[in-house]
Amino acid sequence: MSYKYRVETHSPGHRVLPRTGEMKAEVHAWLDDGLFEATDEALWQQAATAAAHPGVKAIHLMPDTHLGYGIPVGGVVVTDDVLIQAGSGYDISCGVIYLEVPGLHAADIADPEKRRRWVDAVELRVATGLGDHRPPRARDVAYREVQQIFRYGAQALGVPAELCERHYIEVDDAVFDERRVPRARDRAQPQLGSVGGGNHFIEMQVDRDSGAVWVMVHCGSRGFGWQTANHFFYAGAELRGLPKKRREESWLYRDEPLGRAYWAHHNAAANYAIANRHTIVDGVREATRAVFDAEVDVFYEISHNLVQEETLLLPDGSTERGFVHRKGATRAFPAGHPDLAETKWAATGHPCLVPGSMLAGAAILYPQPGAARSACSVNHGSGRLMARGQARRELAHIHDEIDHEMRTIRRALGGVTVEGIVGNTARTPLDECGHVYKDLDAVLAVLESEGIATVAHRLYPVANIKGV
DNA sequence: ATGTCC
């Protein structure tokens, strides 16, 4: 019997897969009718498998969910004393940093030629794409500084804590050993301050309502995090007696030696990713000064692939501590959450930064009291509709139309008509174009209708730099 | 996501 068939509808945007077999908890899915119908049986099977890990207390699927490895993308798994490596995945602490450009308004960026110069200026200063390529003017960071970043993240760069979800995560120095994963250590120094490939990007966006100009950066822990994750997938599979092919199903007790080692190395990779995002800001700042004579200010920085130990808000109103694995999901602490006490976000909840696509743009959300229903989590994007290979094959015949749409799309942004989205590539990458993603507004509507979060700002892209 | 290969 299929899992999808068993899913019950509790409210228009809330589905529940009841506990069966080895599942330790029921699966809560935040999907409306259309998003639910589009899910595959394989997704539900994967969610049920994830719910069968030891120590699972709760599991949620965000409205952008789709099949991942081990745990669905858009999956949130809450455990007590267990760490699941697939719960943060290969790009440990992949996430977003958002910059405001208070000196600029939509009218100042309306000229596409000027946006083209900004794209070129950013590419000159920030490395993009795979590997160790560094731009000519990359900031020179001594390896000793990188070692500080492993332990103290953005704090090592002097970034104020209030600008970050976590400006660093504590690393157990008795356990963290950078020689343990030599290929990780070797990548860390040359790749600091780089964007990487895939869906990572730097993008200029404009607020639909106010015309305010923002820059969003989406990137992660690069080779350092990938090598770290890969090492602990294999080591965990060996420990649990799983064949290598099933390494993504492995898990660790937090208090066994390999669990303690994973926790230390995972957190070092998170610190690296957080510092990486803040380092990239240096190049964006220089480029924005050079082309627009304007300053950028960091608004907030947040991960969407991360395991964090945090205070859980339980349905009966009590709290306890646990590990929250967000695999393509964004933390969403509402006003009054204990872990926001004495921060600037205590009375409002912290912002959730959600990229959509290079066509549909992005949003800033604020968690509502109903966030407690979804393990204080929201989606991390709009969700992939099509695999990369499928996109390249099936959209090739409309590539010209896709490029034309990017060049000519006209939007009223803060009362100013802005035409075209300037890119850094000759052609729009088909595996990243707007058509391979679900409708961001439909995904966000589920959060609003279920009382989980509200959309405070809706932003549209005007210039995009992809890591290709 | 990833020098696309434990």
Side-chain angles (χ1 to χ4, degrees):
Chain A
M1 181 165 143
S2 86
Y3 285 100
K4 185 175 178 181
Y5 182 77
R6 295 179 195 164
V7 174
E8 299 166 357
T9 303
H10 284 209
S11 66
H14 183 201
R15 260 85 186 169
V16 177
L17 173 66
R19 265 183 77 175
T20 54
E22 299 298 309
M23 289 170 68
K24 308 296 188 297
E26 58 196 6
V27 177
H28 295 262
W30 303 92
L31 303 166
D32 64 18
D33 290 347
L35 293 167
F36 174 71
E37 289 309 321
T39 59
D40 294 328
E41 170 63 12
L43 170 75
W44 294 101
Q45 195 167 347
Q46 188 173 59
T49 304
H53 282 116
V56 170
K57 295 152 65 91
I59 175 163
H60 294 260
L61 301 176
M62 298 299 118
D64 60 338
T65 190
H66 59 86
L67 198 66
Y69 39 83
I71 289 174
V73 174
V76 180
V77 182
V78 184
T79 60
D80 46 20
D81 59 349
V82 164
L83 298 168
I84 307 164
Q85 302 94 305
S88 51
Y90 280 98
D91 193 359
I92 295 169
S93 189
C94 178
V96 171
I97 188 165
Y98 237 140
L99 316 176
E100 296 177 274
V101 196
L104 294 183
H105 183 265
D108 301 311
I109 56 83
D111 176 8
E113 195 43 47
K114 203 158 182 190
R115 280 181 270 144
R116 164 75 52 205
R117 280 168 46 209
W118 181 81
V119 166
D120 293 343
V122 171
E123 279 210 296
L124 198 64
R125 292 165 175 86
V126 182
T128 59
L130 294 182
D132 291 357
H133 160 74
R134 304 190 81 192
R137 303 189 55 219
R139 179 182 146 164
D140 194 21
V141 180
Y143 188 69
R144 204 167 340 144
E145 282 184 67
V146 177
Q147 290 175 305
Q148 286 298 106
I149 283 167
F150 292 158
R151 289 164 179 81
Y152 299 111
Q155 191 190 62
L157 304 174
V159 173
E162 67 184 17
L163 302 180
C164 311
E165 174 193 37
R166 305 290 300 271
H167 78 323
Y168 77 100
I169 301 173
E170 194 174 337
V171 170
D172 184 347
D173 256 326
V175 176
F176 177 65
D177 177 2
E178 62 189 54
R179 291 165 302 183
R180 187 177 185 125
V181 192
R183 277 167 295 194
R185 178 182 58 182
D186 296 346
R187 308 272 162 82
Q189 193 273 343
Q191 294 185 342
L192 185 71
S194 67
V195 174
N199 61 2
H200 290 167
F201 62 82
I202 299 172
E203 191 168 84
M204 181 178 281
Q205 300 168 359
V206 178
D207 187 303
R208 175 183 62 190
D209 301 315
S210 70
V213 176
W214 295 67
V215 179
M216 175 178 261
V217 181
H218 176 217
C219 64
S221 49
R222 305 294 336 279
F224 183 71
W226 192 92
Q227 293 292 344
T228 299
N230 196 47
H231 173 83
F232 285 97
F233 275 123
Y234 278 96
E238 192 175 355
L239 179 67
R240 297 270 95 87
L242 285 165
K244 287 179 181 177
K245 276 188 181 308
R246 292 175 58 194
R247 61 192 180 278
E248 72 279 7
E249 293 170 45
S250 76
W251 51 272
L252 303 163
Y253 286 114
R254 190 255 178 278
D255 289 325
E256 65 188 336
L258 193 61
R260 287 199 297 275
Y262 176 64
W263 188 232
H265 284 254
H266 164 279
N267 290 340
N271 287 336
Y272 180 88
I274 294 163
N276 189 35
R277 286 187 278 278
H278 285 275
T279 301
I280 288 168
V281 173
D282 295 345
V284 175
R285 177 177 287 117
E286 279 188 36
T288 308
R289 279 180 185 157
V291 176
F292 288 102
D293 193 24
E295 292 299 313
V296 302
D297 292 334
V298 175
F299 172 68
Y300 199 58
E301 180 274 323
I302 194 165
S303 302
H304 49 227
N305 267 358
L306 192 62
V307 190
Q308 298 186 75
E309 191 175 13
E310 64 190 44
T311 305
L312 313 174
L313 307 181
L314 302 180
D316 66 2
S318 66
T319 62
E320 62 183 25
R321 299 286 287 179
F323 290 104
V324 182
H325 304 66
R326 294 190 180 86
K327 161 72 167 298
T330 309
R331 189 158 93 167
F333 286 168
H337 190 287
D339 294 357
L340 292 180
E342 291 167 44
T343 74
K344 72 182 273 192
W345 311 107
T348 59
H350 68 80
C352 302
L353 316 179
V354 180
S357 75
M358 63 193 300
L359 181 68
I364 298 175
L365 319 180
Y366 281 91
Q368 296 302 306
R373 303 172 70 204
S374 64
C376 290
S377 302
V378 296
N379 55 307
H380 83 311
S382 39
R384 192 164 265 284
L385 206 52
M386 212 182 286
R388 291 184 185 280
Q390 186 191 1
R392 285 190 289 260
R393 285 190 303 275
E394 294 182 8
L395 300 179
H397 71 289
I398 56 163
H399 207 160
D400 288 346
E401 287 93 320
I402 289 168
D403 287 342
H404 184 260
E405 183 178 31
M406 290 293 286
R407 277 196 307 275
T408 59
I409 190 165
R410 290 163 71 90
R411 282 174 169 143
L413 304 172
V416 177
T417 300
V418 180
E419 181 169 327
I421 301 164
V422 174
N424 68 321
T425 55
R427 314 280 323 257
T428 311
L430 288 177
D431 54 354
E432 281 297 319
C433 76
H435 304 276
V436 308
Y437 287 100
K438 296 177 200 168
D439 176 6
L440 177 62
D441 296 300
V443 165
L444 298 177
V446 177
L447 303 174
E448 294 202 304
S449 68
E450 294 294 325
I452 294 167
T454 54
V455 179
H457 302 280
R458 186 71 174 80
L459 302 109
Y460 289 106
V462 297
N464 177 288
I465 297 142
K466 281 278 181 200
V468 286

